[in-house]
C-alpha cells in the first residue's frame, strides 16, 4: 500500500529515524530501571516509566519519586533528560528534513508508477531517456504504445515526470535485475537498450533476454566493433546513431524524395502508412490472392525467416508466422485485419 510511511522507509532518512526511535525506547527502559532502583518500595514499574516519560517530555507533573536532597537521583534525572530530549530533537529534525527535502507529490507519483508498471503487459521498456531515448519515447507515444521508461539520472527523470505525467517512469540503474523486474520485463513486448554506454546496453540486453527470451531487444552501440557482441548475446537489432545519421544524410543528398516519402508513410497521422503483420498460427489464408484486393491496401513484401519476397504474386503461398508488409490507409486497416485473421 502506498503511504507516507512507505516513502519514509525508502528514504535515506528512514534508517536514521529508526535508530533515533530505538534509542528513545532504550532510554525509557534505562530510565524505568533506574527509577525503580531509586524509588521507595511502594512504587511500581508503571510509576517509574511515568517518571521517565514526564522527565524526557518536560511535561512537569508532580514528581512521584522524591529527588530533593538525593544527589544520585538528581544526576540520574539530568542524564535521562539530556539523552531523551536529544533523541526527541533528532527525531523531529529528521522528520522535518524529510518533509523539506522530499517532493512528496513527485515521490507518490513515482511510487504509483512502479506499481502500475508491474501490472502492464505487451508494453515497451526504454532504458535511458537521453538524446536517443527521448526520440524513441516520442515515436512510441505517437504510435499509441504503452511505455515504461528506466532512467538512472534522478534529475532527468524528475524533469521527465513533470513534463510527461502520462508516462510510467522508474528511476534506477537498468543493469540491475530488480529494476528490470519492476518494469515487468517478463510480460513486455520489447525493450530499447539506448543508454549512452555500450557496456550498460550489453548488460541490459543480456539480463532482459535471460528473463524473457521472447522479448524483442533493440540495442544502441557507439563503437561499431561492439555490434557483433550485442547480436551474440541476443539483441534482435542494433542501432548506431552515428552510422545511421551518416546513412540518412547521404540518402537525403542522393535520394531526397524517396526518403521524404518513406518518412511520410512511417510517421503520418493520416493518409497511407507502412505496416507489418505476423500471420497467426490458426490462419485460413493459403495465398496472397486470398487477402483480397482493395484500394485501401497493397501487399509490398513477405518475409519468411531471412528470405524476402517483394511485390508477391497473387499465387504466392502464405505460412503461419510469416510477416506481411503492407501499404494501407487508416480506413482500410479494419478490413485488412479481418482478412488476415487478426481481428
Amino acid at each position: 500500500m502506498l503511504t507516507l510511511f512507505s516513502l519514509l522507509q525508502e528514504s535515506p532518512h528512514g534508517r536514521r529515524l529508526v535508530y533515533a526511535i530505538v534509542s528513545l525506547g532504550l532510554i525509557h527502559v534505562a530510565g524505568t530501571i533506574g527509577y525503580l532502583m531509586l524509588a521507595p518500595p511502594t512504587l511500581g514499574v508503571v510509576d517509574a516509566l511515568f517518571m521517565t516519560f514526564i522527565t524526557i517530555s518536560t511535561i512537569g507533573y508532580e514528581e512521584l519519586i522524591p529527588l530533593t536532597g538525593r544527589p544520585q537521583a538528581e544526576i540520574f534525572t539530568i542524564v535521562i533528560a539530556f539523552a531523551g530530549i536529544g533523541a526527541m530533537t533528532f527525531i523531529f529534525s529528521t522528520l522535518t528534513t524529510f518533509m523539506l527535502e522530499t517532493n512528496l507529490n513527485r515521490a507518490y507519483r513515482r511510487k504509483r508508477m512502479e506499481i502500475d508498471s508491474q501490472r502492464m503487459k505487451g508494453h515497451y521498456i526504454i532504458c535511458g531517456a537521453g538524446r536517443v531515448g527521448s526520440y524513441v519515447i516520442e515515436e512510441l507515444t505517437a504510435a499509441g504504445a504503452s511505455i515504461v521508461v528506466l532512467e538512472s539520472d534522478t534529475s532527468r527523470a524528475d524533469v521527465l515526470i513533470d513534463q510527461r505525467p502520462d508516462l510510467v517512469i522508474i528511476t534506477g540503474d537498468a543493469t540491475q535485475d530488480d529494476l528490470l523486474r519492476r518494469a515487468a520485463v517478463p510480460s513486455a513486448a520489447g525493450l530499447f537498450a539506448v543508454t549512452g554506454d555500450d557496456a550498460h546496453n550489453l548488460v541490459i540486453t543480456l539480463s532482459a533476454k535471460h528473463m524473457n527470451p521472447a522479448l524483442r531487444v533493440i540495442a544502441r552501440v557507439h563503437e561499431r566493433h561492439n555490434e557483433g557482441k550485442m547480436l551474440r548475446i541476443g539483441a534482435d537489432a542494433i542501432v548506431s546513431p552515428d552510422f545511421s545519421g551518416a546513412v540518412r544524410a547521404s540518402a537525403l543528398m542522393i535520394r531526397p524524395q524517396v526518403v521524404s516519402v518513406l518518412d511520410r508513410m512511417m510517421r503520418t497521422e493520416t493518409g497511407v502508412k507502412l505496416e507489418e503483420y505476423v500471420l497467426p498460427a490458426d490462419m485460413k489464408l493459403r495465398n496472397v490472392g486470398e487477402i483480397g484486393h482493395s484500394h485501401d491496401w497493397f501487399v509490398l513484401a513477405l518475409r519468411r525467416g531471412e528470405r524476402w519476397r517483394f511485390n508477391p504474386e497473387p499465387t504466392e503461398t502464405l505460412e503461419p508466422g510469416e510477416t506481411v508488409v503492407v501499404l494501407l490507409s487508416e480506413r482500410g486497416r479494419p478490413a485488412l485485419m479481418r482478412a488476415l485473421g487478426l481481428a
Side-chain angles (χ1 to χ4, degrees), residues 111 114 132 136-137 140 142 166 171 179 242 246 256 268 286 337 339:
K111 190 66 178 177
E114 292 187 22
V132 175
V136 174
I137 292 171
L140 292 183
D166 56 309
T171 306
L179 193 72
D242 296 332
T268 183
R286 289 171 295 180
M337 296 285 284

Side-chain angles (χ1 to χ4, degrees), residues 101-314:
E101 292 184 356
T102 304
N103 186 323
L104 293 180
N105 181 48
R106 183 178 292 156
Y108 270 115
R109 286 166 59 188
R110 184 181 290 117
K111 190 66 178 177
R112 176 58 61 189
M113 288 175 182
E114 292 187 22
I115 295 173
D116 291 342
S117 69
Q118 296 172 7
R119 301 171 182 167
M120 296 176 70
K121 292 183 180 180
H123 58 290
Y124 296 93
I125 302 169
I126 302 172
C127 301
R131 290 183 296 111
V132 175
S134 60
Y135 288 124
V136 174
I137 292 171
E138 288 181 12
E139 291 295 321
L140 292 183
T141 301
S146 299
I147 305 171
V148 175
V149 180
L150 305 183
E151 173 55 52
S152 59
D153 188 328
T154 304
S155 59
R156 182 182 292 166
D158 288 342
V159 170
L160 196 57
I161 289 173
D162 292 336
Q163 293 178 344
R164 298 295 305 275
D166 56 309
L167 295 181
V168 175
I169 303 164
I170 302 176
T171 306
D173 185 358
T175 62
Q176 301 298 316
D177 288 354
D178 178 62
L179 193 72
L180 293 176
R181 291 192 187 94
R182 284 156 59 189
V185 164
S187 60
L191 179 142
F192 296 83
V194 289
T195 72
D197 189 308
D198 285 3
H200 284 183
N201 293 335
L202 190 145
V203 173
I204 292 168
T205 301
L206 184 62
S207 300
K209 278 292 188 179
H210 178 72
M211 292 182 191
N212 183 358
L215 184 72
R216 180 169 175 79
V217 176
I218 308 298
R220 170 189 179 183
V221 294
H222 271 290
E223 303 296 335
R224 293 200 64 191
H225 64 261
N226 288 329
E227 291 184 5
K229 298 175 185 177
M230 287 289 187
L231 292 172
R232 284 196 296 272
I233 64 170
D236 296 281
I238 303 298
V239 174
S240 174
D242 296 332
F243 177 72
S244 300
V247 171
R248 180 175 175 81
S250 301
L252 284 170
M253 179 61 70
I254 300 170
R255 294 179 292 273
Q257 300 309 318
V258 173
V259 174
S260 178
V261 168
L262 289 175
D263 279 348
R264 184 172 180 81
M265 288 192 297
M266 290 288 291
R267 306 181 62 180
T268 183
E269 296 296 328
T270 59
V272 294
K273 287 186 177 182
L274 276 174
E275 295 284 2
E276 63 178 67
Y277 300 99
V278 177
L279 297 176
D282 58 347
M283 72 166 198
K284 299 178 181 180
L285 297 172
R286 289 171 295 180
N287 55 55
V288 174
E290 293 185 2
I291 296 178
H293 175 74
S294 173
H295 294 293
D296 293 320
W297 70 74
F298 175 74
V299 178
L300 291 177
L302 302 174
R303 183 176 185 180
R304 183 183 305 162
E306 295 300 320
R307 180 179 170 228
W308 282 96
R309 290 169 290 166
F310 296 97
N311 192 20
E313 295 290 337

Side-chain angles (χ1 to χ4, degrees), residues 13 16-17 20-21 24 56-57 84-100:
H13 302 291
R16 292 196 291 269
L17 185 62
I21 292 174
L24 184 62
I56 292 174
S57 62
I85 293 172
M88 290 182 64
T89 302
F90 186 77
I91 289 173
F92 287 120
S93 65
T94 301
L95 285 173
T96 302
T97 304
F98 167 72
M99 299 294 287
L100 292 176

